[in-house]
Amino acid sequence: MGDTRAHDGGDDEIARAVVASSPDAIVALDRDMAVLIWNAAAERLFGWPADQLMGRRAPIVPAELMAEHNAVLERVRTGGPVSLRTRRFHRDGRLLDLRVDTSALRTDSGALLGYVNVFHSTQDDDAARGREARRARLVSRLTDVVGDINAELDLPVVLDRIAASLTELTGADAGGFVSIEEDLLRLVGVHELPESMRGMTADLHTSLVGKLLRTGKTVLLETGPEGFQDLIWARLDGLHTIAVGIAAVGGRPYGALYALFASSKASHLELELLELLAGHAGIAVGNAMAYQDAVRQRAHERAVFDASADGIAVLDGAGRVIQWNPAAAELTGLHARELIGGPPPFPLPAPGEKLTIQLSSGRWLDVLCAEIPETGESVVDFRDVTRAKELEEAKDLFLATTSHELRTPITIVRGFASTLDSRWDHLSDGERRSAVHTIAERARSLGQLMDHLLLGSRAGADELKVKVEVFDLGERVRAATLGLPVLSDRHRVEVDIPADLPAVYGDELATDIVLGQLLENAFKYSPDGGLIRVEAWAEDERVVLVVDDEGVGIAPADRERVFERFVQADSGNRRRFGGVGLGLYIVRSLARAQGGDVTALPRPGGGTRMRVALTGAGPLPDPTHRRGNEVAT
């Protein structure tokens, strides 16, 4: 008779008698799988005497079933007892078809001591053998299925594969995967169900999934039809059983697998396979979600990289370019294919510092560099600061020029005022009149300078206001040029304004300022005299006015720059004429505020042609109808 003593020396005689007398083979194992109890029935069933196995691992579990054996023990450890059909080795090497009931061996306080296995010998008929063969195939197939669904990273495909695998493993007639979206379930994976059902929703709380979540279990078997008011499963003809398993991602319920049985039946094996598949489904879904998140993140980073207005380059640890975005190519004129694998085309600052450099093209760049410690790579960011650089230089020049322009008349005014104050009685009437006249002229130039500064600041802030109304441009030209011929004995002034010149839309006061500045420039930049000609004509829907001079002219490269703030053309000797570089900036701003424009052109034969174009208004209307609205630009 076999030894029925517990390995820990337990001496409960009644308990040992019960175990020894049991017709079923009883084998108790400690937590390390060593034999604690091996009764007489176990000796008869397996052919091993108890004294040869006590304290050792019994060599009865086939290698191909070891994973199953461990899974059963793990399930028993965390849940309830498990009963299944399986195979074990006899001492002589034969495989025995058995049913084993496994439960946990615990102390009164609930501490786990080991496991108790009760083996029942059975005579399997062909049907039973077929079921066992199917089980073995399914367990083996489960491994393949898990590998198959984990190999796919497209989430919708993964969900459909899970639904298809569910029907294959459990023998269900149809399968589905639902995602849990707050208080709703959404059908996102289908197999052997109408495609039109995909995307349908149901209330979570009244569903089988909600019921299963409230129990704290992972699988649920429901028979109906009274329990089938869940999603739209009741549409499956002949549906009699639903098995549901929870799939968790990151430790939280993500969705559930539905196995639908209409012609086949569900058993404990189907539930077991459903539970195992649900666990693996959660892993596969988590992998697919993580992959899609990574793909979205890379796509987002690429979109930012490509769409950035800044030039961005990524360098490897050796300082070679490995990425070069479109803005970088535009700023430098060098495409990625020319630079990948080589150094960047400009020096780099120390990490965290900024370096301002000028390319051979004349473009100025602010360059920043940052290291990526994890990869040893560097990210270089650079932007075009040419305009800011030019504006900075222009402001410096403006400050210097303005100081000069203010200092000269102020010095003269102060000097003559002091002379008048200290020597009034010693000066003749003519000398006093001359001094006052000089003070008045210099005060006028100071006022004009301040007007220019004020208009320039308003134009820069888009605060110039004009009235758009119909007025007679010819009348304004004649008023502006009246008396000009006698102002200089070195200049000749010609004015050619046709009598039928159409009216224009615009602002009379703004146009007076434009005309005055253009005429002043024509005299100013013609120091040696010559012809100054003012002419106007209709051209399509515009009225064109030109002011020609025979002066020093404007270099082609400066014909647009002269309309910028604080800019005077540097070519020739224009610099010697003074000014703060706001006159033509104000002229263009006022012209455009009226819906027109002004451009600088070369005059045939030398000099400059300033061309003003305003919107024509047709024949001059009755003066009482000349109304307009004030607009801000």
Side-chain angles (χ1 to χ4, degrees):
M1 182 171 177
D3 188 346
T4 61
R5 291 175 298 173
H7 190 60
D8 62 359
D11 55 2
D12 190 329
E13 295 295 335
I14 295 177
R16 286 194 293 169
V18 170
V19 173
S21 303
S22 173
D24 293 323
I26 298 176
V27 177
L29 308 175
D30 65 14
R31 287 182 298 180
D32 294 327
M33 310 304 167
V35 174
L36 294 173
I37 296 175
W38 186 271
N39 72 350
E43 288 185 340
R44 292 191 298 271
L45 181 61
F46 295 109
W48 290 93
D51 58 4
Q52 294 187 21
L53 294 180
M54 297 302 294
R56 298 173 51 205
R57 289 196 176 197
I60 61 173
V61 182
E64 67 272 15
L65 297 179
M66 186 59 69
E68 174 194 81
H69 176 62
N70 292 334
V72 168
L73 296 183
E74 176 64 16
R75 184 173 173 188
V76 167
R77 185 182 67 81
T78 59
V82 173
S83 179
L84 78 159
R85 292 181 180 273
T86 186
R87 288 185 175 187
R88 294 292 184 266
F89 276 128
H90 189 274
R91 184 178 184 180
D92 61 12
R94 288 181 292 115
L95 277 174
L96 305 174
D97 293 325
L98 304 171
R99 181 164 56 86
V100 57
D101 299 320
T102 304
S103 58
L105 179 62
R106 299 183 183 276
T107 65
D108 291 341
S109 63
L112 180 69
L113 296 176
Y115 310 91
V116 177
N117 298 283
V118 180
F119 295 92
H120 308 274
S121 179
T122 181
Q123 299 295 324
D124 295 325
D125 56 19
D126 292 342
R129 284 193 295 271
R131 286 193 298 273
E132 290 302 315
R134 175 175 173 270
R135 184 185 187 286
R137 290 196 302 271
L138 290 177
V139 170
S140 175
R141 176 61 182 148
L142 177 62
T143 303
D144 297 334
V145 166
V146 169
D148 184 47
I149 61 176
N150 277 290
E152 180 59 56
L153 293 173
D154 184 7
L155 184 58
V157 176
V158 169
L159 299 176
D160 281 347
R161 286 192 179 183
I162 291 171
S165 302
L166 177 63
T167 60
E168 176 186 353
L169 292 173
T170 64
D173 297 281
F177 190 99
V178 296
S179 62
I180 300 174
E181 302 176 3
E182 296 183 352
D183 294 333
L184 291 178
L185 297 179
R186 186 179 303 277
L187 184 61
V188 292
V190 296
H191 184 69
E192 299 298 335
L193 290 172
E195 184 64 27
S196 59
M197 294 168 60
R198 187 188 299 274
M200 297 188 71
T201 61
D203 182 72
L204 170 64
H205 300 294
T206 60
S207 70
L208 290 180
V209 177
K211 180 179 179 181
L212 180 55
L213 290 174
R214 289 190 291 272
T215 67
K217 298 180 180 179
T218 55
V219 291
L220 173 69
L221 191 67
E222 186 83 11
T223 57
E226 62 279 357
F228 290 170
Q229 302 308 312
D230 181 66
L231 284 179
I232 35 67
W233 306 125
R235 297 184 186 180
L236 186 63
D237 292 338
L239 179 64
H240 59 75
T241 304
I242 296 179
V244 182
I246 298 295
V249 176
R252 298 174 61 87
Y254 170 83
L257 288 72
Y258 276 77
L260 310 178
F261 297 87
S263 59
S264 57
K265 294 183 178 180
S267 67
H268 178 80
L269 173 61
E270 278 67 41
L271 275 181
E272 181 184 357
L273 289 170
L274 173 62
E275 185 175 21
L276 292 172
L277 182 60
H280 288 292
I283 296 173
V285 169
N287 291 341
M289 292 173 64
Y291 175 76
Q292 290 193 344
D293 286 344
V295 170
R296 282 192 294 268
Q297 180 65 23
R298 285 196 296 270
H300 174 73
E301 292 172 354
R302 172 53 64 179
V304 172
F305 182 81
D306 288 344
S308 173
D310 283 4
I312 301 176
V314 179
L315 313 181
D316 63 15
R320 296 183 293 261
V321 176
I322 55 178
Q323 293 189 61
W324 188 259
N325 76 339
E330 182 179 351
L331 290 173
T332 63
L334 298 171
H335 295 283
R337 62 178 178 273
E338 303 175 69
L339 292 173
I340 296 297
F346 45 73
L348 301 180
E353 298 182 2
K354 181 176 75 173
L355 179 65
T356 301
I357 60 171
Q358 187 176 28
L359 302 178
S360 58
S361 62
R363 175 171 279 168
W364 287 90
L365 299 179
D366 270 355
V367 184
L368 297 170
C369 185
E371 291 183 342
I372 306 175
E374 294 80 3
T375 63
E377 297 171 335
S378 299
V379 177
V380 181
D381 181 280
F382 49 97
R383 63 183 56 183
D384 187 354
V385 293
T386 305
R387 183 74 181 114
K389 194 78 172 175
E390 291 176 347
L391 185 59
E392 180 182 350
E393 293 175 353
K395 286 182 177 179
D396 291 341
L397 178 61
F398 165 74
L399 291 174
T401 304
T402 304
S403 299
H404 172 75
E405 293 290 322
L406 288 171
R407 184 183 299 111
T408 300
I410 288 175
T411 300
I412 294 174
V413 167
R414 184 171 57 191
F416 276 94
S418 296
T419 299
L420 289 173
D421 181 53
S422 62
R423 302 187 65 239
W424 179 271
D425 295 333
H426 301 285
L427 298 175
S428 66
D429 185 62
E431 290 173 329
R432 289 195 291 265
R433 287 181 179 277
S434 176
V436 171
H437 176 73
T438 300
I439 291 173
E441 283 297 310
R442 294 302 177 176
R444 183 190 65 80
S445 67
L446 280 173
Q448 187 179 41
L449 175 60
M450 298 311 297
D451 287 342
H452 278 194
L453 292 175
L454 179 61
L455 282 172
S457 66
R458 289 179 177 176
D462 292 337
E463 292 178 355
L464 282 179
K465 292 185 178 181
V466 299
K467 289 182 179 180
V468 178
E469 60 184 1
V470 177
F471 70 93
D472 186 349
L473 177 63
E475 178 186 340
R476 303 318 309 158
V477 173
R478 284 187 285 270
T481 57
L482 184 64
L484 285 181
V486 299
L487 292 180
S488 171
D489 56 3
R490 290 178 298 173
H491 294 86
R492 292 182 297 111
V493 179
E494 293 183 1
V495 180
D496 185 2
I497 305 296
D500 59 349
L501 184 71
V504 297
Y505 288 107
D507 185 287
E508 290 184 86
L509 178 58
T511 303
D512 284 344
I513 296 174
V514 169
L515 289 171
Q517 184 64 51
L518 293 181
L519 289 169
E520 180 181 332
N521 280 6
F523 278 91
K524 179 178 179 180
Y525 294 112
S526 304
D528 298 328
L531 175 66
I532 294 176
R533 179 176 176 81
V534 183
E535 186 178 1
W537 64 84
E539 186 176 289
D540 297 327
E541 296 181 355
R542 294 274 192 173
V543 174
V544 175
L545 171 74
V546 297
V547 177
D548 289 346
D549 66 59
E550 296 178 335
V552 297
I554 304 173
D558 292 327
R559 286 174 190 153
E560 272 300 307
R561 293 186 66 247
V562 294
F563 292 102
E564 298 176 10
R565 281 192 295 179
F566 318 135
V567 172
Q568 290 181 323
D570 294 325
S571 61
N573 58 355
R574 294 177 64 89
R575 258 298 160 207
R576 64 187 175 91
F577 298 106
V580 293
L582 283 173
L584 290 180
Y585 173 74
I586 293 170
V587 165
R588 174 169 278 184
S589 298
L590 290 173
R592 289 181 173 177
Q594 300 177 77
D597 204 356
V598 59
T599 52
L601 303 170
R603 175 187 173 278
T608 299
R609 163 170 288 187
M610 302 303 294
R611 183 181 190 273
V612 181
L614 297 175
T615 303
L620 288 172
D622 188 291
T624 60
H625 296 293
R626 299 182 187 180
R627 303 179 183 271
N629 297 318
E630 188 175 54
V631 295
T633 64

